Amino acid sequence: MQRNLPVEKYKRYLLLERGLSSNTIDAYMADLQKLVDFMEARNLSFTGIRLQHLEEFLAELHDNDIKARSVARTISGIKSFFHYLVLDGVIEENPSQLLEAPKIGLKLPVVLSIEEIDSILDSIDVSTAEGTRNYAIIETLYSCGLRVSELTNLRFSDLFFDEGFIRVLGKGDKQRLVPISETAIQKINNYLFYRQRQIVKKGSEDIVFTSSRGSAISRITVFYYIRQYAGAAGINKEIGPHVFRHSFATHLLERGANIRVIQEMLGHEKITTTEIYTHIDRSFLRQEIIEHHPRNKK
């Protein structure tokens, strides 16, 4: 992004005052750059831009086949930016206040059954260091409901196995304690037999899950192996690390866990984010009734 004083100050505001993660800030900045490019092409300033200009900008995004979900995210970022400009005294009125986000249908995340998860784990060759590590990774993703970035950043200093918890650094650098199952602890300990014998690169000594090169394992590598194992298990769903997080939450809810507890375990700031799993639960319930109720038998 080219140097622009209000934009640069806004970026610092997101980092220092709102405490957002670098990935979230990068997403905000990328969306804001689209608006800056639009304004520069029309010789508009932040003090001179009006609602009609913003509506033209959104119409342009629509013409470029930008998906409704991406447009909604862009609108959210624009509103946040102009709200900041009002707070900072750059403008007196917020031109984005009346912007309406496109309606987005509820997209339920992909969830695996317990049997499918077991099939994926059964496809891993645990006679190798790589397989033992990958088994521990998938078991930890599912048992703790972690984001892939939380897993790749997991450190030995975050493991409290005697107490049955791990410490997780989530979005916005917020820490939370998450219970870890005895099964996951066992699988991590199995992997540590190999990990303790590995030559690790400087700076990665405290990282739990490392690559064959001795540095922290990357998110892309985790994606790759999960898709490989899902294919080997004959699972045709769109699989990635996040599927185990979705499955973790859904299976807990199906078995009666309190949604507030699930919110805490997932590190969701808002309960509305967690509530999508209640929709999954209802969808599961409806499918069960359709399949098994005698009135639905042909």
Side-chain angles (χ1 to χ4, degrees), residues 51 54 75 78-80 82-83 94-100:
L51 175 62
L54 295 176
I75 290 173
I78 288 173
K79 286 189 170 185
S80 171
F82 281 104
H83 174 70
N94 185 344
S96 69
Q97 230 168 357
L98 298 179
L99 274 183
E100 292 186 5

Side-chain angles (χ1 to χ4, degrees), residues 14-235:
L14 293 178
L15 176 65
L16 301 176
E17 295 193 36
R18 291 192 54 188
L20 300 184
S21 69
S22 57
N23 286 343
T24 302
I25 292 173
D26 287 345
Y28 269 78
M29 291 298 103
D31 287 337
L32 188 53
Q33 183 61 57
K34 295 172 188 172
L35 176 62
V36 170
D37 292 341
F38 172 87
M39 291 170 59
E40 287 180 348
R42 290 155 181 77
N43 200 29
L44 293 168
S45 66
F46 290 124
T47 55
I49 196 166
R50 298 291 180 265
L51 175 62
Q52 68 187 65
H53 300 130
L54 295 176
E55 289 174 338
E56 288 173 18
F57 167 66
L58 296 178
E60 191 172 283
L61 292 181
H62 178 75
D63 291 343
N64 290 330
D65 293 327
I66 304 297
K67 292 182 179 178
R69 194 171 296 275
S70 296
V71 172
R73 188 196 65 206
T74 301
I75 290 173
S76 176
I78 288 173
K79 286 189 170 185
S80 171
F81 174 66
F82 281 104
H83 174 70
Y84 164 76
L85 292 185
V86 172
L87 290 177
D88 200 42
V90 176
I91 58 176
E92 291 184 4
E93 293 185 7
N94 185 344
S96 69
Q97 230 168 357
L98 298 179
L99 274 183
E100 292 186 5
K103 291 184 179 178
I104 302 170
L106 180 65
K107 183 180 179 182
L108 298 180
V110 175
V111 171
L112 297 171
S113 68
I114 295 172
E115 292 74 21
E116 287 173 325
I117 292 172
D118 287 341
S119 295
I120 290 172
L121 291 171
D122 288 344
S123 71
I124 303 174
D125 180 5
V126 292
S127 67
T128 67
E130 180 181 270
T132 305
R133 179 200 63 194
N134 294 344
Y135 196 115
I137 282 174
I138 293 175
E139 186 64 53
T140 305
L141 283 171
Y142 173 57
S143 291
C144 301
L146 302 186
R147 301 177 179 95
V148 65
S149 58
E150 293 170 348
L151 177 123
T152 57
N153 290 323
L154 193 64
R155 298 176 179 273
F156 286 109
S157 51
D158 296 322
L159 307 181
F160 303 96
F161 286 169
D162 289 343
E163 292 81 10
F165 285 88
I166 61 173
R167 181 172 55 205
V168 177
L169 187 65
K171 285 187 175 181
D173 291 333
K174 293 179 179 177
Q175 292 185 0
R176 67 185 191 276
L177 286 176
V178 178
I180 183 168
S181 69
E182 289 296 329
T183 302
I185 291 173
Q186 178 193 341
K187 299 307 176 183
I188 291 174
N189 282 332
N190 290 347
Y191 157 64
L192 293 184
F193 172 83
Y194 298 100
R195 170 68 176 79
Q196 289 162 357
R197 290 158 176 75
Q198 185 183 29
I199 298 173
V200 178
K201 287 187 177 179
K202 188 175 181 180
S204 297
E205 296 89 350
D206 196 33
I207 296 292
V208 176
F209 296 110
T210 50
S211 69
S212 57
R213 296 185 300 277
S215 55
I217 195 168
S218 70
R219 292 182 291 180
I220 293 173
T221 300
V222 176
F223 265 93
Y224 169 79
Y225 279 114
I226 285 173
R227 286 176 179 166
Q228 288 284 102
Y229 296 135
I235 295 171

